[in-house]
Amino acid sequence: MVAVPNWLVVGLAIAGGLAVLFAVLFVVGERFFPPAAANPGSEHDGEWKRRAEIRAYLDAIDEPYTEDYALDGEPVAFYLPERDVAITFDGQAYFRIERQGLHAVLVEHEMPGAHLGARLPFETPETRFDRRQEGDARNDGRERRQRWERRRRSASSGPSGTTTAEGERQRVDSAFDTLGVPRDADEDEIRAAYREQVKEVHPDHGGEEEAFRELQEAYTAARDAAN
């Protein structure tokens, strides 16, 4: 029978003792210092923070909104019913909504909610949020606001040689003709006609940018007249 060296016996005894000690320490630690419960929404903390900021901003500018709205089956974080504008954190949803010709605003999780006003496609009143924004953040949406304002201002000016009222009537009649709907069409009929045509003229589908812009302006004019 081979004799086991004393140093090997001592080493095995020490290793076994350390293993038992670590096991005891682990059990004691688990019992007296349990790990903090995981927050199921922790990975979405950025989104929840932005949602709270967006709510505060929309409330500050008195803009009605619906949260977690299904826009033609596409879930969006916020929907502004009076503007027909969707706000989403999902980049893919943003592009799908844009391809339908609707106004969509993409909000990154790291973007402060106070910067939302610079991205909205309409003029927003100045608030305490705006005064805290950096200048470059406001420039980010300047082009959209100018485009929106040009459409709004066009309602107050008619073609050369006509009165303002005549010019407005001609503009609205032209809008309904562009959409191919009768002058007494309601908002649902106008939206359906717009969405049908936008599939053909949207630049993403091979359409012309100018035709797409004219269709958007016609939709805005007809919808405003129907309301």
Side-chain angles (χ1 to χ4, degrees):
M1 183 175 181
V2 179
V4 179
N6 291 334
W7 62 266
L8 181 57
V9 174
V10 173
L12 291 173
I14 293 174
L18 290 175
V20 172
L21 176 62
F22 288 139
V24 171
L25 291 175
F26 179 79
V27 171
V28 171
E30 283 285 313
R31 180 172 181 179
F32 292 98
F33 304 98
N39 182 359
S42 58
E43 63 183 34
H44 301 297
D45 281 348
E47 177 177 333
W48 295 124
K49 181 178 180 181
R50 296 300 167 247
R51 279 176 175 266
E53 293 175 351
I54 290 172
R55 289 189 208 102
Y57 179 78
L58 293 175
D59 288 339
I61 64 173
D62 293 326
E63 184 67 41
Y65 62 88
T66 300
E67 196 166 354
D68 294 323
Y69 183 80
L71 184 61
D72 285 351
E74 188 72 59
V76 296
F78 293 89
Y79 177 66
L80 313 185
E82 294 187 359
R83 310 284 187 174
D84 203 16
V85 172
I87 301 172
T88 181
F89 297 98
D90 186 338
Q92 294 181 349
Y94 166 79
F95 287 112
R96 286 194 294 267
I97 295 170
E98 283 283 296
R99 281 195 291 269
Q100 295 180 44
L102 304 176
H103 292 296
V105 177
L106 178 62
V107 176
E108 300 86 355
H109 291 156
E110 64 272 14
M111 189 192 86
H115 290 179
L116 176 63
R119 297 193 177 187
L120 292 173
F122 54 86
E123 191 65 37
T124 57
E126 184 178 4
T127 68
R128 59 187 176 88
F129 297 99
D130 297 315
R131 291 191 288 271
R132 292 204 306 261
Q133 291 185 45
E134 298 291 338
D136 58 350
R138 295 189 61 82
N139 292 337
D140 189 35
R142 179 175 298 168
E143 183 178 348
R144 286 189 177 189
R145 292 202 308 273
Q146 289 175 344
R147 196 161 57 239
W148 180 276
E149 283 302 305
R150 283 197 297 269
R151 293 199 295 267
R152 291 295 186 182
R153 285 197 297 269
S154 67
S156 61
S157 60
S160 177
T162 65
T163 65
T164 299
E166 291 172 343
E168 169 64 7
R169 185 171 62 252
Q170 292 177 11
R171 187 182 75 92
V172 171
D173 289 343
S174 176
F176 279 89
D177 290 341
T178 299
L179 293 170
V181 295
R183 186 62 177 80
D184 59 352
D186 60 24
E187 188 172 355
D188 290 338
E189 293 173 315
I190 292 169
R191 181 180 290 112
Y194 170 71
R195 292 180 180 177
E196 183 63 29
Q197 290 195 35
V198 79
K199 298 175 183 177
E200 301 178 0
V201 302
H202 198 287
D204 288 350
H205 298 166
E208 296 289 338
E209 182 69 33
E210 181 66 19
F212 177 56
R213 183 185 62 80
E214 290 178 357
L215 181 63
Q216 285 187 310
E217 292 177 352
Y219 172 56
T220 300
R223 187 185 61 190
D224 289 348
N227 290 333

